[in-house]
Amino acid sequence: QVQLVESGGGLVQAGGSLRLSCAASERPSSNYNMGWFRQAPGKVREFVAAIGSTSSASLADSVKGRFTISSDNAKNTVYLQMNNLKPEDTAVYYCAVDTHGAFRSRVPTIQAAYSYWGQGTQVTVSS
């Protein structure tokens, strides 16, 4: 059904910046949330950030002050601006969509809440 395509990943030196994009092929629902998760080799997938069409945004403590999430509802697209990148930010970044935004008071931070997932984009930060 809904197809998600991430882009913007790459190789950057510590302290540098990258801007990730995630575009949905169609409007997921009348009220939806879009989130970013990441997974490093040998590590579990973890929450990074999320934002809703009507809900407030949420950021993981590890990226607050460095990352910013934003969206363009007209384009069904979410962005993740990553500044002051650190080697520990190295991971595959996945975009995900939760179609039940109308039934939630806050954007979810758990994987089980999201129904659609992209294939991921690699972010590598060198020291």
Side-chain angles (χ1 to χ4, degrees), residues 55-107:
S55 302
S56 299
S58 181
L59 294 170
D61 289 340
S62 61
V63 304
K64 286 182 178 177
R66 298 188 298 121
F67 292 11
T68 301
I69 187 169
S70 61
S71 64
D72 185 339
N73 292 141
K75 297 180 179 179
N76 302 316
T77 301
V78 65
Y79 306 94
L80 186 67
Q81 179 65 48
M82 306 185 293
N83 298 324
N84 191 26
L85 284 161
K86 304 175 180 180
E88 49 263 45
D89 293 318
T90 296
V92 175
Y93 284 69
Y94 297 92
C95 175
V97 168
D98 162 36
T99 63
H100 299 94
F103 304 97
R104 309 188 195 281
S105 59
R106 294 172 291 182
V107 291

Side-chain angles (χ1 to χ4, degrees), residues 12-127:
V12 65
Q13 293 183 321
S17 299
L18 285 173
R19 182 179 174 84
L20 304 184
S21 298
C22 174
S25 60
E26 61 188 79
R27 186 182 183 188
S29 66
S30 59
N31 191 343
Y32 61 95
N33 302 310
M34 297 187 77
W36 289 97
F37 292 78
R38 66 185 182 185
Q39 186 169 22
K43 304 292 184 180
V44 299
R45 186 159 53 187
E46 64 177 0
F47 171 78
V48 177
I51 191 169
S53 55
T54 59
S55 302
S56 299
S58 181
L59 294 170
D61 289 340
S62 61
V63 304
K64 286 182 178 177
R66 298 188 298 121
F67 292 11
T68 301
I69 187 169
S70 61
S71 64
D72 185 339
N73 292 141
K75 297 180 179 179
N76 302 316
T77 301
V78 65
Y79 306 94
L80 186 67
Q81 179 65 48
M82 306 185 293
N83 298 324
N84 191 26
L85 284 161
K86 304 175 180 180
E88 49 263 45
D89 293 318
T90 296
V92 175
Y93 284 69
Y94 297 92
C95 175
V97 168
D98 162 36
T99 63
H100 299 94
F103 304 97
R104 309 188 195 281
S105 59
R106 294 172 291 182
V107 291
T109 59
I110 59 174
Q111 298 178 49
Y114 294 85
S115 301
Y116 302 100
W117 294 81
Q119 291 299 307
T121 184
Q122 177 71 49
V123 171
T124 302
V125 184
S126 62
S127 59

